[in-house]
Amino acid sequence: MKLIGSTTSPYVRRIRILLDEERYEFINLDIYGEGRDELRRNNPTLKIPVLEDEGQEIYDSRIIARYVSAKQGRDPLTWDQQNQLTMIDGANDSAVTLLLSEKSGIDTHQDVMFHKLQRERIATTLKVLAEMVQEGKFEEWNYPAICLYCLIDWLDFRNLEDFAGVESLLAFRDSHKDKPWVAQTDPRNS
Ligand SMILES: N[C@@H](CCC(=O)N[C@@H](CS)C(=O)NCC(=O)O)C(=O)O
């Protein structure tokens, strides 16, 4: 099994944590620099993660997680868990968009519809996710909880969110930060 990704991507980190003790090769690419040709050879959507296993290539963390979970004999996600993932991915995709805009020299704090829509989505999803944490809906350390962890820790790592009013998300993050695969995949140590 081979996982193509980077040490900073929250989408890759969730798969690395899910893979846990599995034996696999990790290819760490700089997808905006010298690793881009390798990415072009492996995924026409030009995104990470990509998983390769027994001649099968799989794109997108959500599909990779389905593949890995099935191999590990885990139960499929419930519809409510799928909705949790959709909220986490909604916030994560919008935050990646804001980060790439900033890296492109665009001021994302201007009064521009596109950036306001991203910020609104991040705010609405984080609010609901914070309420779910308070209600105990992320108590079990399962795939949605891993994804939430990777999102919150990445927003903090990239200084993209001040977490005002959604402090329970930081408390959730802190309660899991010393777990073995979590600590080993901390993007700050890469
Ligand atoms: N839906 C995808 C999103 C993956 C994604 O956006 N990965 C980022 C890295 S954090 C990426 O490859 N971005 C490249 C780009 O947007 O050009 C998944 O869950 O795997």
Side-chain angles (χ1 to χ4, degrees):
M1 204 183 304
K2 184 160 102 178
L3 179 68
I4 300 170
S6 74
T7 51
T8 49
S9 166
Y11 298 97
V12 174
R13 189 181 186 190
R14 49 172 77 167
I15 300 299
R16 291 173 75 197
I17 296 173
L18 184 70
L19 280 169
D20 201 83
E21 303 284 346
E22 301 270 351
R23 285 169 62 86
Y24 69 97
E25 183 188 358
F26 180 53
I27 311 287
N28 180 19
L29 295 185
D30 171 5
I31 61 166
Y32 304 114
E34 58 189 22
R36 196 142 185 95
D37 277 341
E38 173 94 22
L39 179 65
R40 288 187 183 110
R41 282 191 289 275
N42 285 286
N43 184 351
T45 73
L46 301 173
K47 290 190 182 192
I48 48 174
V50 177
L51 187 81
E52 282 176 30
D53 189 36
E54 297 176 11
Q56 178 69 59
E57 273 197 330
I58 306 175
Y59 314 139
D60 200 286
S61 64
R62 200 151 176 168
I63 313 303
I64 294 170
R66 259 178 62 192
Y67 179 86
V68 171
S69 299
K71 266 195 116 157
Q72 292 174 337
R74 296 181 188 234
D75 288 338
L77 298 184
T78 65
W79 298 121
D80 284 342
Q81 288 175 323
Q82 295 283 8
N83 285 341
Q84 288 176 334
L85 275 194
T86 299
M87 285 189 280
I88 292 164
D89 285 359
N92 218 329
D93 289 344
S94 286
V96 167
T97 300
L98 290 177
L99 185 68
L100 289 178
S101 300
E102 293 282 352
K103 282 191 172 182
S104 308
I106 299 166
D107 175 7
T108 64
H109 292 279
Q110 302 169 82
D111 189 13
V112 170
M113 182 184 177
F114 180 70
H115 293 132
K116 285 199 297 190
L117 294 182
Q118 309 312 316
R119 288 190 196 287
E120 183 182 7
R121 180 174 302 108
I122 294 169
T124 53
T125 49
L126 291 189
K127 183 170 175 290
V128 174
L129 290 165
E131 285 163 7
M132 288 183 150
V133 164
Q134 282 162 322
E135 289 161 7
K137 291 187 178 154
F138 281 99
E139 230 142 63
E140 197 188 326
W141 186 242
N142 53 16
Y143 186 63
I146 291 171
C147 294
L148 180 62
Y149 183 94
C150 294
L151 166 67
I152 302 310
D153 198 43
W154 182 80
L155 289 172
D156 186 40
F157 164 61
R158 294 293 194 195
N159 281 320
L160 287 166
E161 177 64 41
D162 65 7
F163 296 99
V166 289
E167 292 82 359
S168 63
L169 293 173
L170 284 179
F172 166 83
R173 189 275 307 266
D174 292 344
S175 72
H176 292 293
K177 71 177 184 339
D178 296 324
K179 285 202 158 60
W181 294 99
V182 170
Q184 282 170 30
T185 56
D186 187 334
R188 297 161 191 84
N189 303 331
S190 61

